[in-house]
């Protein structure tokens, strides 16, 4: 993985000193609260319901054991002993004190980490495919691009006061695991007919209150032209994005209101005026960064492991874990493992300091000292030797990290919701916990198969509910929490927004309604279709019928109980 | 109003004029808004003036005056409205050779951004300099030594410095 050189090191240290100074200037009155707010946000510091929240950047979701141990130390010293992984591959602490934040930043800088631009109206932490460098369907590793963008976007003089936040995601694979079509800019590494590598550039996707699928603005951008082209997009957005209404300020609205053709024309016009060579990264620099992501020193192994096969045969739990959480590796004899931070009843994405330490040991010993954070609030051990898998499984189990439900109905994404968030209109985490308990039986989960549920506690959609195969949106209606259910959402290359099944329902009815939706799926399913495949084929109608029947049965039961 | 360059506070040679009359009588070089500029150049051809424009102004509308005005002041309605930074870049790209001024309630923390985007100076309301005196601006611009973005500011970017260092290391 990438390592800081003296420039990166000094940059991050100076950024910490700068923030320390900003806190001091706020306290002695040089900065008003209104002026300080965007400055603290640009350093990941939110003011939440009960306390400050600090969001730490995990660039493209890659971490090592030393970093995780430091995070464990920070969690214990300055927080309540745990951290929370988010859908943007970041880590949040929910209880830091303002006065401690500069010290936390120093501790982060000690392990080459920071909070730069994890919030605020600027280019946010760049995300990437969690199976980068692992997946067989990869044209090129997306991480060197993401690292280049991390550097380029950090304290960009022109683009730190944008109309609104700006999120970039990169994938190098055919199958999109980075949700590039629902980002402000999505980049897909591809090859053209001549075999050269470049990018498909997608602009104007996004979730939030006005969800939109991004548009292809450039079908093939030669790789070396990336920074100049992004500068053109950003300049058009910075100049023309709406600033009169923050709900219409994202680039997706600009693309939508300007029209795809006209937006593309403006970007290309700006691009034509740029002096590309003065902006683009020097080739040597791109190579220097890429070298950090060279494959680790794999052993030459056979594809199959007798050790693993034997252990799977004698331990059904291990067998299930490998089947569900394993991901095929391009290197023979290796496998990638998803670690679902989704024990039944746990808070999605939460990890205790003890778990962090245990997991750091596992990653160090068994995965070339590297792991990833996924946008499903899970972790990935990218390079595990199949021969080591029984030992890895035992260690994970010991740490309470061997939940064999990756991708299943209990692997739920949930935003912090009313438990932490100042904007929430409803609870989100407890809903996830209730659903997980309803479907706790592993055999039932297996019979249902892949079914990503995503829950947001308000229309801002931090839980990605629009792109959940089942999406749940918590609202407030007449003083009560009220939940809308959608189905058919998809964040992959088949990106689609979910469709509503009917009127909103009470919190207590959500698990039952999800059961009704699942029953419809099992009845409609043909062959080995997954939930989303069935929905794509049948449309939402049968699901609406099942949902309506559930609501009517509930209403009947309630009026009977009232009599 | 206080005008600050990267060297510190300077005396303002320009005087804001909201009407043609005040522009003609200005005790210094008049700094006129976009709405008056056409009449002004007809009335006083060849004389020196500054032009003050909103950050939202399209560059095409500004180009005709770039050869005539000795100063362009780009107005920031609030510190968090970043359009002026992009307009500054476009003005420089058009080859504007005069002084480029950022005008409005910017905060010291933005001084480096402004300089890197091509501004020569900022013009601040007194309310701002009362809270953030010149000293803070001078300190703010020196907090971060190097930058990643090529093509901004005067020195080499971090990416360019790395390349230069590697070249230097080779025999
Ligand atoms: C707890 C404090 C949080 C607050 C106040 C907050 C606020 C917001 C707001 C206002 C938006 C909508 C922005 C827009 O559409 O322009 C948003 C979107 C989003 N947030 Fe959060 N958020 C919080 C936590 C989180 C967490 C914990 C996650 C990850 C689990 C997250 C991930 C996202 C994502 C992925 C989006 C959608 C981006 C898009 O619209 O494309 N946020 N957030
Ligand atoms: S979706 Fe709403 S409730 Fe959930 S974290 Fe985002 S802003 Fe808060």
């Amino acid at each position: 993985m990438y390592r800081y050189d003296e420039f990166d090191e000094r940059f991050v240290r100076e950024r910490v000193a700068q923030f320390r100074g900003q806190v001091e200037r706020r306290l002695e009155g040089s900065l008003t609260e209104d002026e300080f707010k965007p400055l603290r946000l640009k350093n990941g510091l939110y003011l939440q319901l009960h306390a400050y929240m600090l969001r730490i950047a995990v660039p493209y979701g890659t971490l090592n054991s030393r970093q995780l141990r430091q995070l464990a130390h920070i969690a214990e010293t300055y927080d309540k002993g745990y951290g929370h992984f988010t859908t943007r591959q970041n880590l949040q602490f929910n209880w830091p004190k303002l006065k401690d934040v500069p010290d936390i930043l120093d501790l982060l800088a000690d392990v080459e980490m920071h909070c730069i631009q994890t919030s605020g109206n600027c280019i946010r932490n760049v995300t990437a495919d969690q199976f980068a460098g692992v997946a067989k369907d990869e044209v090129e590793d997306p991480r060197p691009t993401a690292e280049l963008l991390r550097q380029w976007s950090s304290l960009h003089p022109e683009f730190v006061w944008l109309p609104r936040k700006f999120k970039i995601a990169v994938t190098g694979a055919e199958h999109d695991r980075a949700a590039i079509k629902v980002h402000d800019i999505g980049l897909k590494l591809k090859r053209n007919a001549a075999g050269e590598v470049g990018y498909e550039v997608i602009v104007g996707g996004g979730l939030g209150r006005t969800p939109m699928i991004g548009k292809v603005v450039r079908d093939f951008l030669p790789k070396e032209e990336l920074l100049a082209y992004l500068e053109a997009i950003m300049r058009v957005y910075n100049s023309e994005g709406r600033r009169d209404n923050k709900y219409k300020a994202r680039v997706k609205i600009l693309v939508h209101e300007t029209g795809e053709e006209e937006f593309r024309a403006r970007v290309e016009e700006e691009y034509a005026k740029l002096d590309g060579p003065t902006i683009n990264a020097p080739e040597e620099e791109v190579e220097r960064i890429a070298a950090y992501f060279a494959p680790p020193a794999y052993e030459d192994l056979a594809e199959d492991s007798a050790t693993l096969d034997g252990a799977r045969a004698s331990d059904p739990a291990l067998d299930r874990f490998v089947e569900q959480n394993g991901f095929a590796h391009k290197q023979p004899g290796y496998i990638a493992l998803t670690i679902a931070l989704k024990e039944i009843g746990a808070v999605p994405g939460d990890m205790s300091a003890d778990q962090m330490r245990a997991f750091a040991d596992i990653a160090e010993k068994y995965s070339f000292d590297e792991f990833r954070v996924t946008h499903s609030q899970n972790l990935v051990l990218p390079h595990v030797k199949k021969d080591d898998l029984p030992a890895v499984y035992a260690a994970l189990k010991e740490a309470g990290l061997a939940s064999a439900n990756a991708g299943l109905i209990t692997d739920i994404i949930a935003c912090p919701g009313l438990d932490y968030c100042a904007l929430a209109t409803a609870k989100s985490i407890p809903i996830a916990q209730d659903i997980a308990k309803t479907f706790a039986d592993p055999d039932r989960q297996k019979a249902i198969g892949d079914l990503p549920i995503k829950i947001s506690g308000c229309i801002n959609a931090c839980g990605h509910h629009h792109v959940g195969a089942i999406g749940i949106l918590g609202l407030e209606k007449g003083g009560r929490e009220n939940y809308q259910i959608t189905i058919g959402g998809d964040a992959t290359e088949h990106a689609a927004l979910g469709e509503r099944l009917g009127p909103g329902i009470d919190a207590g009815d959500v698990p039952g309604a999800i059961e009704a939706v699942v029953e419809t799926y099992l009845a409609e399913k043909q062959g080995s279709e997954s939930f989303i495949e069935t929905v794509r084929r049948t449309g939402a109608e049968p699901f609406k019928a099942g949902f309506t029947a559930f609501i009517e049965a509930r209403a009947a039961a309630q009026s009977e109980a009232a009599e | 109003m206080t005008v600050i360059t990267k060297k510190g506070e300077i005396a303002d040679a320009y005087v804001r004029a909201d009407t043609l009359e005040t522009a003609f009588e200005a005790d210094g070089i008049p700094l006129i808004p976009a709405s008056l500029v056409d009449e002004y150049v007809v009335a006083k051809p060849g004389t020196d003036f500054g032009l003050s424009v909103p950050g939202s102004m399209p560059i095409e509308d500004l180009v005709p005056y770039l050869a005539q005005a000795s100063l362009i002041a780009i107005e920031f309605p609030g510190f968090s409205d970043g359009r002026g930074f992009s307009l500054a870049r476009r003005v420089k790209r058009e080859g504007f050779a005069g002084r480029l001024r950022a005008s409005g309630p910017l905060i010291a923390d933005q001084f480096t951004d402004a300089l890197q985007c091509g501004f020569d100076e900022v013009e601040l309301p007194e309310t701002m300099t009362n809270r953030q005196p010149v000293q803070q601006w001078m300190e703010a611009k020196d907090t971060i030594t190097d930058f990643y973005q090529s093509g901004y500011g005067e020195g080499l970017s971090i990416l360019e410095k790395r390349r230069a260092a590697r070249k230097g290391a080779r025999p």
Side-chain angles (χ1 to χ4, degrees):
Chain A
M1 64 191 269
Y2 187 72
R3 300 304 308 260
Y4 284 5
D5 67 357
E6 71 262 40
F7 291 107
D8 301 310
E9 165 77 19
R10 184 166 65 188
F11 183 86
V12 167
R13 293 285 175 197
E14 289 177 344
R15 179 69 184 98
V16 174
Q18 183 183 47
F19 186 70
R20 200 180 280 277
Q22 287 168 340
V23 172
E24 282 162 15
R25 282 166 58 237
R26 169 68 198 118
L27 294 175
E28 46 88 351
S30 291
L31 287 163
T32 65
E33 189 54 36
D34 282 351
E35 288 162 356
F36 179 60
K37 186 176 166 193
L39 298 178
R40 71 166 158 73
L41 287 176
K42 284 181 209 307
N43 211 28
L45 191 62
Y46 277 83
L47 191 54
Q48 279 308 295
L49 266 188
H50 314 288
Y52 279 102
M53 178 270 276
L54 184 65
R55 188 180 288 160
I56 294 163
V58 181
Y60 36 95
T62 298
L63 285 171
N64 64 26
S65 61
R66 184 165 156 255
Q67 293 171 322
L68 190 59
R69 287 189 192 107
Q70 187 79 318
L71 293 170
H73 169 66
I74 294 170
E76 269 170 355
T77 316
Y78 298 103
D79 204 283
K80 296 190 176 179
Y82 63 93
H84 179 76
F85 286 100
T86 80
T87 49
R88 298 211 68 257
Q89 304 181 316
N90 289 324
L91 180 87
Q92 288 180 186
F93 286 121
N94 284 314
W95 306 98
K97 299 206 173 46
L98 178 58
K99 68 168 178 48
D100 293 334
V101 170
D103 294 339
I104 298 176
L105 295 177
D106 268 329
L107 289 171
L108 290 173
D110 288 345
V111 292
E112 304 181 12
M113 293 184 76
H114 60 70
C115 297
I116 297 171
Q117 289 164 215
T118 52
S119 179
N121 295 335
C122 47
I123 301 172
R124 303 284 189 90
N125 183 40
V126 178
T127 53
D129 184 353
Q130 70 265 23
F131 292 118
V134 171
K136 290 180 174 167
D137 63 343
E138 195 167 78
V139 168
E140 206 178 283
D141 192 327
R143 290 170 299 167
T145 298
E147 172 59 25
L148 179 63
L149 294 183
R150 180 189 76 81
Q151 299 187 16
W152 166 80
S153 61
S154 293
L155 302 192
H156 196 293
E158 187 177 347
F159 306 131
V160 271
W161 302 93
L162 299 171
R164 202 72 179 87
K165 60 176 158 184
F166 204 94
K167 302 180 179 179
I168 303 179
V170 195
T171 181
E174 261 325 299
H175 180 63
D176 176 12
R177 285 167 291 260
I180 61 169
K181 290 188 178 170
V182 290
H183 278 74
D184 296 277
I185 291 182
L187 297 172
K188 179 182 169 182
L189 281 147
K190 64 191 285 194
R191 258 178 227 289
N192 65 5
E196 296 148 347
V197 176
Y199 301 96
E200 178 176 289
V201 183
I202 297 172
V203 185
L207 300 172
R209 49 183 80 207
T210 325
M212 285 188 192
I213 307 288
K215 314 286 184 295
V216 178
V217 166
R218 210 15 139 84
D219 186 49
F220 186 84
L221 178 75
K223 198 174 162 198
E224 60 280 7
E225 297 180 34
L226 181 66
L227 296 186
Y229 198 77
L230 292 190
E231 187 174 309
I233 296 173
M234 298 311 299
R235 185 164 299 132
V236 169
Y237 171 57
N238 192 38
S239 303
E240 298 175 30
R242 286 181 62 173
R243 291 175 189 262
D244 58 326
N245 179 342
K246 76 178 236 191
Y247 301 123
K248 297 195 185 300
R250 297 281 295 273
V251 72
K252 64 189 171 189
I253 305 287
L254 180 66
V255 174
H256 180 72
E257 291 183 348
T258 317
E260 192 184 329
E261 280 305 310
E262 174 62 19
F263 180 80
R264 182 180 298 119
R266 289 185 200 176
V267 168
E268 291 292 341
E269 186 193 354
E270 175 65 31
Y271 186 57
K273 288 185 185 153
L274 292 182
D275 181 9
T278 63
I279 301 162
N280 286 315
E283 198 184 327
E284 301 95 312
E285 183 54 16
V286 173
E287 283 165 11
R288 185 192 74 91
I289 292 174
Y292 286 102
F293 299 97
Y298 296 123
E299 288 170 40
D300 260 329
L301 298 171
E303 178 59 36
D304 291 322
S305 152
T307 319
L308 176 59
D309 293 345
R312 285 180 76 164
S314 62
D315 181 352
L318 169 68
D319 185 53
R320 194 194 301 274
F321 178 77
V322 178
E323 185 189 337
Q324 194 57 45
N325 294 32
F327 180 86
H329 201 293
K330 60 177 152 195
Q331 179 71 19
Y334 286 79
I335 187 169
L337 289 177
T338 298
I339 312 307
L341 298 176
K342 308 288 170 65
E343 288 277 299
I344 303 297
V347 175
D350 269 11
M351 196 177 202
S352 72
D354 287 340
Q355 285 178 322
M356 289 183 198
R357 290 205 181 88
F359 190 68
D361 291 345
I362 296 170
E364 184 172 27
K365 191 158 171 204
Y366 297 111
S367 187
F368 294 97
D369 197 20
E370 191 198 319
F371 70 97
R372 315 274 171 80
V373 184
T374 82
H375 80 273
S376 320
Q377 304 178 285
N378 291 329
L379 304 179
V380 162
L381 287 170
H383 319 286
V384 176
K385 247 195 298 184
K386 286 181 180 169
D387 293 339
D388 288 338
L389 224 160
V392 171
Y393 178 68
L396 288 170
K397 215 157 99 178
E398 173 86 25
L401 293 170
S403 217
N405 59 347
L408 295 179
I409 189 167
T410 54
D411 182 4
I412 300 171
I413 295 184
C415 80
L418 214 43
D419 291 276
Y420 297 100
C421 178
L423 304 176
T425 41
K427 291 188 293 287
S428 167
I429 292 169
I431 301 292
Q433 291 167 321
D434 287 349
I435 296 172
K437 283 180 201 146
T438 304
F439 292 95
D441 176 8
D443 292 326
R444 190 173 179 200
Q445 291 181 47
K446 196 174 166 202
I448 299 167
D450 277 6
L451 207 178
I453 297 185
K454 308 189 184 216
I455 310 177
S456 305
C458 81
I459 52 172
N460 287 317
C462 301
H464 294 191
H465 66 274
H466 301 295
V467 288
I470 296 180
I472 302 175
L473 165 62
L475 296 170
E476 191 245 61
K477 207 173 145 191
R480 279 171 81 86
E481 289 165 52
N482 186 274
Y483 293 85
Q484 288 181 356
I485 317 288
T486 51
I487 61 158
D490 190 337
T492 69
E493 65 276 19
H494 308 293
L497 303 172
E499 187 174 336
R500 251 176 80 182
L501 287 181
I505 55 177
D506 282 347
D509 288 337
V510 172
I514 303 302
E515 287 190 293
V517 171
V518 167
E519 290 314 316
T520 308
Y521 157 61
L522 294 175
E524 295 284 336
K525 166 178 179 171
Q526 287 180 0
S528 61
E529 267 178 353
S530 68
F531 179 88
I532 188 72
E533 286 164 349
T534 300
V535 177
R536 252 184 246 143
R537 178 176 53 78
T538 64
E541 287 318 315
F543 293 88
K544 284 182 181 164
F547 181 76
T548 309
F550 166 77
I551 294 191
E552 280 163 5
R554 279 291 295 159
Q558 268 166 357
S559 66
E560 214 166 280
E563 271 164 25
Chain B
M1 295 286 182
T2 305
V3 178
I4 305 176
T5 71
K6 66 180 176 196
K7 298 223 172 75
E9 184 173 352
I10 58 163
D12 191 358
Y14 293 80
V15 181
R16 282 194 178 267
D18 293 334
T19 63
L20 277 184
E21 290 68 43
T22 47
F24 295 150
E25 288 156 20
D27 179 19
I29 309 169
L31 177 53
I32 55 178
S35 57
L36 293 183
V37 66
D38 287 329
E39 287 178 77
Y40 183 86
V41 290
V42 171
K44 294 258 177 183
T47 60
D48 194 4
F49 68 95
L51 177 60
S52 187
V53 300
S56 57
M57 188 166 200
I59 183 69
E60 302 81 65
D61 297 353
L62 194 47
V63 164
Y65 310 107
L66 294 182
Q68 305 174 49
S70 60
L71 173 140
I72 300 286
I74 296 176
E75 299 153 19
F76 286 72
F79 72 99
S80 62
D81 184 333
R83 283 178 292 191
F85 294 117
S86 284
L87 184 56
R89 293 278 294 167
R90 285 173 159 161
V91 167
K92 295 299 275 190
R93 185 168 71 203
E94 293 297 332
F96 177 65
R99 295 188 74 73
L100 193 55
R101 169 184 290 194
S103 188
L106 293 187
I107 55 178
D109 310 75
Q110 293 174 307
F111 197 24
T112 313
D113 299 335
L115 295 173
Q116 298 269 101
C117 286
F119 286 108
D120 300 293
E121 58 195 41
V122 291
E123 176 193 20
L124 300 165
E126 289 321 313
T127 47
M128 185 56 69
T129 30
N130 289 343
R131 275 192 290 111
Q132 299 179 15
V134 177
Q135 184 59 27
Q136 287 194 16
W137 290 73
M138 293 301 118
E139 283 165 13
K141 85 177 160 49
D142 292 331
T143 45
I144 312 274
T145 313
D146 284 310
F147 289 86
Y148 289 105
Q149 301 78 19
S150 304
Y152 289 80
E154 283 158 13
L156 293 181
S157 72
I158 291 176
L159 275 59
E160 291 163 335
K161 284 188 181 179
R162 284 175 180 147
R163 177 168 66 172
R166 263 191 312 272
K167 285 243 163 76
R170 270 187 224 137

